[in-house]
Amino acid sequence: MPQKINQANRIYQVCLALYAGLILSLLAETWWLNPPQGSIVGISALQLLPLLLPLPGLLKRGLRAASWLCFILCFYFISGVLDAWFRPEQPQGWLITGFSVLLFIGSMMFIRWQAQVNRSLAES
């Protein structure tokens, strides 16, 4: 039981770090590396709003919020792959793709391990 709790705690921390990395890479692309024409604040809000929706539930270690994050990450993965495909010389597409894949895998592992911990605690 303590091993499962430690696994869930570690992967939760990894997920939060990857989540912050994805947000920072999106902000870096929009504000410094490839600033778009038009309102930078509006474009940043459109990029980050879907990603920030499950944040309150994720901070409470909610399994439903983590599963919704996995669905939302599909759009960031597609965006990153397209960016890497059309501009392979720039690292932003690769970073967004990498962060979204790793965060997806980490979130799925967190869902599994935290559900096992919750089930064990309910049985006790």
Side-chain angles (χ1 to χ4, degrees):
M1 173 73 167
Q3 181 183 4
K4 290 181 184 181
I5 293 172
N6 288 337
Q7 283 178 335
N9 287 338
R10 262 188 262 124
I11 199 66
Y12 176 71
Q13 293 168 353
V14 168
C15 284
L16 290 180
L18 289 169
Y19 189 83
L22 180 59
I23 288 173
L24 290 175
S25 66
L26 287 168
L27 286 173
E29 178 186 22
T30 305
W31 286 82
W32 296 286
L33 300 174
N34 191 15
Q37 302 294 330
S39 173
I40 293 177
V41 175
I43 292 173
S44 292
L46 284 175
Q47 280 183 329
L48 296 178
L49 184 64
L51 194 58
L52 294 176
L53 287 174
L55 182 61
L58 198 62
L59 291 176
K60 295 177 186 174
R61 297 177 70 112
L63 299 181
R64 186 170 292 182
S67 62
W68 273 106
L69 178 63
C70 290
F71 288 116
I72 292 169
L73 284 171
C74 293
F75 296 108
Y76 291 94
F77 172 75
I78 292 169
S79 172
V81 166
L82 289 175
D83 199 20
W85 179 267
F86 289 115
R87 298 182 301 166
E89 68 281 352
Q90 293 184 353
Q92 276 314 108
W94 298 102
L95 278 173
I96 292 171
T97 302
F99 275 123
S100 60
V101 166
L102 291 174
L103 184 55
F104 181 87
I105 292 169
S107 295
M108 294 300 284
M109 292 170 65
F110 168 70
I111 292 167
R112 178 184 170 101
W113 290 340
Q114 188 65 45
Q116 289 175 352
V117 167
N118 293 348
R119 227 176 290 121
S120 296
L121 290 174
E123 291 173 357
S124 300

